[in-house]
C-alpha cells in the first residue's frame, strides 16, 4: 500500500490586509481564521502581515472531470474512476488467481506426495511416492485435467484470502508501530503473523474442501464434498487441522513479509522500485520461509484427511518421524519449492503491472482534469 504524503503549497496574496499586532488590538486578523497555524511577524506597536499554514485535503471539482469523449480518447483514465482500494483488491485477486492456476499441477503433486502414506493405510504407511511417480499416477488415473483437480476452490479461496491478508497486514502494522512511528523487526514479524492467522481462519473451510476434492475418490464437485462432510463428520470437520495451520502460517507469513521488506529496504533507492528487484526479493523471502515452515504444512495436510490417526500436532510429528524420519516431514518439498519461483514471480509481476497501471491512470485523469480547469479559468 502506498504511504500517505504531505504536500506543501504557497502563493503570494497581494490584497492581504495588514493585521495590527499591537497589544491593544483584542482581535487581530489571524485569530479569526479557523483550523490554521498562524505565524505573526511582530514589531512592537506596528502592524504586520501574517503567514497562515493550513492542512486540508484537496478535492477535485467534478465540473472539471474528463468528459465521456475525453475518456474514450484516453481509456487508461477510466481506471481512475474505480475506487483505489477496490482496484488494489481486484489487482491482488487477479494476480493470486493467475499464479494459482499456472502452478496448480505442482501443488496437486505436492499434496499427493504429502498424503500418500496415510491414504495407503497403516500397513503400507512406510511406502512413499516420489515426484516422478506422483506425476505418472495423476496422468494415468485422471488424465491431463487431473493436474488441475481442486484448483477452482483454491482460486475462489485466494480472492478473499489475499484481500483479508492485505488489509489485516496494514492494520496490524499500524498497531505495532512504536511511538516514533517506526516499525521494528519484531513489529513486522508480529504484523505478518497476525495477518496470516486472520486470513487463514477466515478461508480455512475452502482449503479443507480443496484438499478433500484433490485426494479423495468419489467426489466430483465442491458441493458434494461439503454435503458429505456435514452429513458424516459434522461442521467441526471444516476446521480439522486448524491449529497446525495457524501455527504454520504465522511464522511463514511473518518471515516472508519481514525478509521481503528488509531486503528491499537494504538496497539502494534506485533499485527498490524496479520490478525485477521485487521478483528476486520475493523468491528469496518465500524460499527461506518455505524451508523453515514446511514440516508444519505436512502435519496439517495429514491431519486434514478423513480417518487420520493423528489428533494433535505433536502426535503427527512423532508419528511421521517414527515411520519415515525427518525426511518424511519434507515429502513434496521439491515440487513445492519449484512452485515457489513461478508463483511468486507471476503474482508479483501481475500485481505490480496492474498497480503501475492504476498509478498511471490516476496521473492521466488528473492531467485531463487540470487541463479542463485551466481552460475554464
Amino acid at each position: 500500500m502506498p504511504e500517505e504524503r504531505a504536500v506543501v503549497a504557497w502563493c503570494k496574496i497581494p490584497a492581504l490586509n495588514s493585521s495590527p499586532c499591537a497589544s491593544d488590538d483584542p482581535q487581530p486578523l489571524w485569530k479569526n481564521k479557523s483550523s490554521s497555524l498562524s505565524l505573526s511577524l511582530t514589531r512592537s506597536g506596528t502592524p504586520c502581515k501574517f503567514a497562515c499554514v493550513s492542512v486540508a485535503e484537496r478535492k477535485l471539482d467534478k465540473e472539471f472531470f474528463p468528459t465521456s469523449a475525453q475518456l474514450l480518447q484516453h481509456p487508461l483514465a477510466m481506471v481512475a474512476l474505480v475506487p483505489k482500494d477496490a482496484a488494489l483488491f481486484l489487482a491482488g485477486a487477479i494476480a493470486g488467481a493467475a499464479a494459482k492456476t499456472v502452478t496448480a499441477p505442482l501443488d496437486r503433486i505436492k499434496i499427493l506426495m504429502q498424503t500418500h502414506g496415510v491414504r495407503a493405510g497403516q500397513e503400507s504407511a512406510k511406502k512413499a511416492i516420489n515426484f516422478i511417480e506422483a506425476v505418472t499416477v495423476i496422468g494415468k488415473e485422471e488424465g491431463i485435467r487431473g493436474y488441475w483437480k481442486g484448483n477452482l476452490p483454491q482460486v475462489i479461496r485466494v480472492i478473499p484470502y489475499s484481500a483479508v491478508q492485505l488489509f489485516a497486514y496494514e492494520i496490524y502494522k499500524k498497531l505495532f508501530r512504536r511511538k516514533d512511528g517506526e516499525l521494528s523487526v519484531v513489529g513486522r514479524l508480529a504484523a505478518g503473523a497476525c495477518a496470516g492467522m486472520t486470513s487463514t481462519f477466515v478461508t480455512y473451510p475452502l482449503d479443507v474442501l480443496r484438499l478433500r476434492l484433490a485426494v479423495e475418490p468419489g467426489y466430483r464437485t465442491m458441493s458434494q464434498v461439503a454435503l458429505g462432510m456435514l452429513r458424516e463428520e459434522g461442521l467441526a470437520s471444516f476446521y480439522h487441522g486448524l491449529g497446525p495451520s495457524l501455527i504454520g502460517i504465522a511464522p511463514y507469513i511473518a518471515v516472508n513479509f519481514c525478509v521481503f521488506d528488509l531486503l528491499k529496504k537494504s538496497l539502494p533507492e534506485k533499485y527498490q522500485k524496479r520490478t525485477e528487484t521485487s521478483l528476486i526479493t520475493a523468491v528469496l523471502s518465500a524460499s527461506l520461509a518455505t524451508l523453515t515452515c514446511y514440516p508444519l504444512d505436512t502435519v496439517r495436510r495429514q491431519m486434514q484427511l478423513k480417518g487420520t490417526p493423528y489428533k494433535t500436532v505433536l502426535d503427527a510429528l512423532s508419528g511421521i518421524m517414527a515411520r519415515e524420519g525427518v525426511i518424511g516431514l519434507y515429502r513434496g518439498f521439491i515440487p513445492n519449492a519449484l512452485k515457489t519461483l513461478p508463483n511468486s514471480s507471476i503474482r508479483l509481476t501481475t500485481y505490480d503491472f496492474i498497480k503501475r497501471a492504476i498509478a498511471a491512470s490516476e496521473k492521466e485523469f488528473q492531467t485531463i482534469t487540470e487541463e479542463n480547469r485551466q481552460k475554464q479559468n
Side-chain angles (χ1 to χ4, degrees):
M1 295 291 292
E3 296 183 356
E4 295 181 356
R5 295 181 299 173
V7 179
V8 179
W10 60 90
C11 62
K12 194 172 183 180
I13 308 177
L16 184 66
N17 295 327
S18 296
S19 172
C21 295
S23 59
D24 58 347
D25 186 1
Q27 290 291 331
L29 180 62
W30 62 270
K31 281 191 175 182
N32 293 326
K33 297 291 181 182
S34 60
S35 302
S36 301
L37 171 63
S38 301
L39 308 173
S40 298
L41 306 175
T42 60
R43 289 184 181 178
S44 180
T46 60
C48 63
K49 294 186 178 182
F50 71 97
C52 178
V53 180
S54 300
V55 179
E57 180 183 359
R58 182 181 178 183
K59 296 182 179 180
L60 296 175
D61 295 328
K62 292 186 178 181
E63 59 180 305
F64 301 121
F65 277 8
T67 62
S68 300
Q70 289 176 321
L71 289 175
L72 289 175
Q73 293 178 351
H74 304 275
L76 183 60
M78 294 182 185
V79 180
L81 297 174
V82 181
K84 192 166 186 179
D85 288 342
L88 290 175
F89 173 87
L90 184 60
I94 294 173
K100 286 295 180 184
T101 300
V102 173
T103 60
L106 288 172
D107 199 33
R108 176 80 201 281
I109 293 168
K110 181 201 74 169
I111 292 176
L112 187 62
M113 292 177 67
Q114 284 179 319
T115 60
H116 178 74
V118 173
R119 292 191 306 117
Q122 293 298 312
E123 295 181 358
S124 58
K126 290 185 178 180
K127 294 182 179 180
I129 185 171
N130 60 36
F131 181 77
I132 301 299
E133 290 173 338
V135 173
T136 305
V137 167
I138 295 173
K140 185 178 180 180
E141 295 182 358
E142 304 178 56
I144 191 69
R145 291 185 178 181
Y147 295 104
W148 277 271
K149 186 178 180 181
N151 184 57
L152 178 59
Q154 181 71 344
V155 170
I156 295 173
R157 172 183 173 271
V158 80
I159 294 175
Y161 183 81
S162 299
V164 172
Q165 192 172 96
L166 176 65
F167 285 106
Y169 185 55
E170 295 301 322
I171 292 172
Y172 287 127
K173 280 200 300 183
K174 293 178 181 178
L175 292 176
F176 290 117
R177 287 188 188 278
R178 298 190 301 235
K179 292 183 178 179
D180 59 1
E182 293 295 325
L183 188 63
S184 64
V185 175
V186 176
R188 291 182 189 278
L189 290 171
C194 292
M197 289 190 292
T198 301
S199 55
T200 298
F201 179 80
V202 172
T203 60
Y204 191 77
L206 283 172
D207 194 39
V208 175
L209 288 175
R210 179 180 72 96
L211 177 72
R212 295 290 184 93
L213 188 62
V215 303
E216 293 188 5
Y219 290 124
R220 296 294 181 183
T221 64
M222 286 179 60
S223 59
Q224 288 180 344
V225 178
L227 291 174
M229 290 174 63
L230 282 173
R231 183 171 53 252
E232 299 175 12
E233 304 172 66
L235 186 62
S237 62
F238 289 93
Y239 285 94
H240 283 169
L242 177 62
S245 296
L246 295 178
I247 296 172
I249 200 65
Y252 178 81
I253 298 298
V255 173
N256 198 357
F257 284 10
C258 184
V259 172
F260 180 79
D261 289 343
L262 294 178
L263 283 178
K264 288 201 71 174
K265 287 182 66 177
S266 65
L267 297 173
E269 188 174 353
K270 64 178 180 179
Y271 295 112
Q272 292 182 9
K273 297 182 179 180
R274 297 176 63 173
T275 303
E276 53 267 32
T277 300
S278 297
L279 296 177
I280 296 172
T281 305
V283 169
L284 291 175
S285 60
S287 299
L288 179 61
T290 301
L291 182 64
T292 305
C293 307
Y294 190 81
L296 285 171
D297 187 54
T298 300
V299 169
R300 173 172 67 97
R301 294 300 184 189
Q302 295 203 10
M303 289 185 68
Q304 286 178 334
L305 289 174
K306 182 180 180 181
T308 178
Y310 307 124
K311 301 300 181 183
T312 66
V313 177
L314 293 178
D315 185 26
L317 283 171
S318 60
I320 295 171
M321 292 185 68
R323 290 198 319 273
E324 304 179 65
V326 177
I327 195 172
L329 297 173
Y330 284 91
R331 290 292 178 190
F333 180 79
I334 292 177
N336 187 75
L338 292 174
K339 186 187 72 172
T340 300
L341 178 60
N343 190 294
S344 298
S345 302
I346 294 169
R347 184 177 63 251
L348 286 176
T349 302
T350 306
Y351 183 73
D352 188 62
F353 174 79
I354 299 176
K355 194 163 63 173
R356 286 200 307 268
I358 293 171
S361 69
E362 291 178 344
K363 186 176 180 180
E364 189 165 344
F365 190 93
Q366 292 175 358
T367 299
I368 298 173
T369 302
E370 193 61 31
E371 289 176 355
N372 292 343
R373 187 193 307 275
Q374 292 176 359
K375 290 177 182 179
Q376 183 71 18
N377 292 336

